[in-house]
Amino acid sequence: MHLAELLFVSSLSVATFALDNGVMRVPPMGWLAWERYRCDIDCDHDPKNCISENLFMEMADRLSEDGWRELGYVYVNIDDCWSSMKRDDNGRLQADPKRFPGGIHKLARYMHDRGLKLGIYGDMGTHTCGGYPGTTLDKIELDAQTFADWEVDMFKFDGCYSNATEQEQGYPLMSKALNATGRPIGYSCSWPAYQGGLPPKVNYTQLGEICNLWRNYGDIQDSWDSVLNIINWFFENQDVLVSAAGPGKWNDPDMLIAGNFGLSMEQSRSQMAIWAIMAAPLFMSNDLCTINSGARSILQNKIAIGINQDPMGIQGRRILKEKSGIDVYWRPLSKNASALVFFSRRNDMPYRYQTSLSKLNYTTGSYQIYDAFTEKTMTLKDSTSFVVSVNPTGVVMWYVSAPAKRNIRQFYRGGRLQGSLFDDDENAISPVFL
Ligand code: GLA
């Protein structure tokens, strides 16, 4: 084969590997209206008028002024109930003029002016889940072009009011149509959630080729029961899900709900830590104007975010589910580092869990540990037995450095070889965390 042919063929095979729009090489982060606001978008903030665009602009102001944007929270995503009940005379979707008097394009500009991005919602089917106009097969190209014209950066394609056959055509077609607009638009597919989330009905290889992220399972609600139910499903099915994820293609266990009404601080930390292990998209759904400082510091935790955003993009696993009610989760990270989460399902009292790194499959060596929530560091040898105290429904989360290497710079004193030192550079905590 000639070199040119070879290059062409190999570029084809790369193109079929992952959605080739260049976006979301690490899990996307931002804010999404649905869990907290549903269709009541902006009655909290503006009870008389309920003008939704104000809510999105206020959240954008908070993201850009309260330190969120710098940490990676850049998407501001509209969910259902944004559109008018009727398409316009050209068959295009249009925003409800009362809720979005400025229109979607202007809102996108508002985001872009602040270094943020705008996401929007649609539905593969006759109607959205909330009963607004859906995108049937014949409307896919038109709607993709409309979103691109509005300079939208992300699109969530829900799946109410369509059957499996229509979805099988519609989701890949929308991927093509979005690509064809020439605008990089992150593509979130709800398809697997409508097909039970598991093979053989769900083809994760194909999803990775056409979507940047996908909802696998049911909707999150503002309760610990709901979070726990999601955690259980994702880790019971981890053998299927872990291999589906990677740069540009992510499993989506749904929004972060810290800052609302249903989770304690411990539970908020647990959600944040486990979402980081899962390489999950981090979309908060809360009120950033009134969020308390505890929830804010959990959602802004640099270690948890750093672990979530690791460039290797390998989704972590549950490695132990102990009878005591302690689960241990592990995620490999770049630079030969890793993350560990100890999670308690108990409801009684802090549990003292005893183990060692070698019991958790770590190889011989000395490791630096950085505790994400207490911000304490320590050095641990693989063989050293240690105890972590895990609060009920809470977590302990560790960033674990690469094992220290024996330093080859052996030194002589008095003419005799004195042995070797540990090379501290090798297993230092990555400076991005400190
Ligand atoms: C479905 C989705 C939710 C939300 C609603 C909107 O239930 O799973 O995330 O988008 O529809 O109606």
Side-chain angles (χ1 to χ4, degrees):
M1 209 186 282
H2 291 301
L3 182 63
E5 269 176 85
L6 199 71
L7 285 176
F8 178 66
V9 171
S10 67
S11 75
L12 277 184
S13 62
V14 168
T16 57
F17 242 178
L19 179 55
D20 202 11
N21 58 5
V23 301
M24 300 182 176
R25 305 301 296 169
V26 293
M29 296 172 65
W31 183 91
L32 172 56
W34 185 254
E35 196 291 313
R36 174 67 184 254
Y37 292 98
R38 318 285 160 142
C39 290
D40 281 349
I41 15 184
D42 204 25
C43 300
D44 267 18
H45 286 240
D46 180 11
K48 264 205 228 124
N49 303 310
C50 297
I51 296 180
S52 312
E53 69 183 20
N54 291 346
L55 173 71
F56 294 97
M57 291 191 288
E58 279 173 46
M59 293 306 126
D61 294 349
R62 300 283 48 87
L63 287 180
S64 57
E65 289 166 33
D66 298 346
W68 301 97
R69 179 187 58 202
E70 289 67 25
L71 291 166
Y73 290 100
V74 294
Y75 287 92
V76 178
N77 288 6
I78 302 171
D79 208 273
D80 203 352
C81 313
W82 62 270
S83 83
S84 166
M85 278 296 181
K86 281 211 172 111
R87 288 175 175 263
D88 73 10
D89 294 344
N90 301 315
R92 287 179 158 230
L93 289 171
Q94 53 185 342
D96 179 323
K98 196 166 164 268
R99 291 169 173 235
F100 292 88
I104 305 294
H105 194 180
K106 204 164 151 213
L107 200 54
R109 288 275 165 83
Y110 191 90
M111 302 305 159
H112 299 158
D113 287 347
R114 286 158 183 76
L116 302 171
K117 294 171 187 290
L118 184 71
I120 203 162
Y121 166 99
D123 186 283
M124 169 63 241
T126 54
H127 296 87
T128 71
C129 301
Y132 291 80
T135 303
T136 42
L137 293 171
D138 55 316
K139 294 284 192 303
I140 285 181
E141 283 175 13
L142 179 64
D143 291 356
Q145 193 54 54
T146 305
F147 301 139
D149 291 346
W150 288 341
E151 297 185 274
V152 159
D153 306 289
M154 177 172 172
F155 175 57
K156 168 174 166 183
F157 206 20
D158 211 341
C160 275
Y161 304 107
S162 55
N163 61 34
T165 318
E166 289 157 344
Q167 291 172 7
E168 212 172 303
Q169 296 175 1
Y171 281 95
L173 214 61
M174 178 56 85
S175 180
K176 266 198 184 161
L178 290 171
N179 270 346
T181 66
R183 182 173 178 81
I185 298 178
Y187 180 33
S188 165
C189 300
S190 300
W191 186 14
Y194 286 87
Q195 297 303 325
L198 296 173
K201 276 196 173 172
V202 174
N203 177 348
Y204 279 107
T205 311
Q206 185 192 12
L207 278 165
E209 289 163 359
I210 63 166
C211 311
N212 294 112
L213 62 155
W214 46 80
R215 285 279 311 282
N216 317 62
Y217 191 60
D219 291 359
I220 200 160
Q221 307 296 345
D222 193 4
S223 76
W224 177 239
D225 267 5
S226 169
V227 173
L228 199 54
N229 180 258
I230 291 174
I231 293 172
N232 289 341
W233 188 86
F234 274 81
F235 289 97
E236 271 152 26
N237 296 301
Q238 63 182 353
D239 289 341
V240 169
L241 302 176
V242 164
S243 58
K249 42 178 193 169
W250 311 104
N251 294 300
D252 181 4
D254 216 359
M255 292 156 272
L256 293 169
I257 54 166
N260 294 327
F261 312 102
L263 302 191
S264 68
M265 284 301 143
E266 292 299 330
Q267 294 161 351
S268 303
R269 273 191 277 274
S270 298
Q271 194 195 13
M272 186 70 185
I274 294 173
W275 263 233
I277 289 287
M278 283 196 278
L282 300 180
F283 287 104
M284 309 178 276
S285 189
N286 50 18
D287 183 352
L288 297 174
C289 295
T290 59
I291 189 170
N292 65 60
S293 61
R296 179 198 311 256
S297 75
I298 292 167
L299 293 165
Q300 294 195 345
N301 185 286
K302 281 192 186 164
I303 304 281
I305 293 173
I307 290 167
N308 176 271
Q309 298 282 292
D310 186 80
M312 270 195 334
I314 299 177
Q315 182 172 334
R317 302 180 154 268
R318 178 164 63 199
I319 55 171
L320 283 171
K321 191 168 194 290
E322 304 276 19
K323 283 212 183 76
S324 61
I326 301 296
D327 288 1
V328 184
Y329 300 85
W330 175 80
R331 179 175 172 189
L333 302 173
S334 51
K335 298 195 185 137
N336 221 2
S338 57
L340 275 175
V341 168
F342 304 92
F343 166 58
S344 173
R345 297 171 172 276
R346 300 174 68 99
N347 294 305
D348 51 357
M349 60 187 290
Y351 185 79
R352 290 170 58 77
Y353 179 69
Q354 184 169 359
T355 186
S356 68
L357 290 177
S358 62
K359 278 193 191 150
L360 302 175
N361 304 330
Y362 280 75
T363 52
T364 310
S366 172
Y367 297 81
Q368 297 273 359
I369 308 292
Y370 192 87
D371 186 306
F373 295 112
T374 65
E375 299 182 9
K376 288 195 179 125
T377 48
M378 63 179 155
T379 304
L380 262 187
K381 274 200 196 150
D382 63 290
S383 54
T384 309
S385 172
F386 62 83
V387 172
V388 277
S389 177
V390 195
N391 293 340
T393 67
V395 284
V396 169
M397 181 179 217
W398 286 359
Y399 173 86
V400 184
S401 72
K405 284 193 182 138
R406 287 271 165 192
N407 193 326
I408 40 160
R409 282 178 284 122
Q410 289 170 317
F411 58 97
Y412 287 85
R413 193 182 293 143
R416 301 182 69 197
L417 185 65
Q418 294 291 310
S420 53
L421 299 165
F422 281 114
D423 184 340
D424 281 341
D425 284 353
E426 269 296 319
N427 81 335
I429 307 288
S430 176
V432 291
F433 294 134
L434 301 175

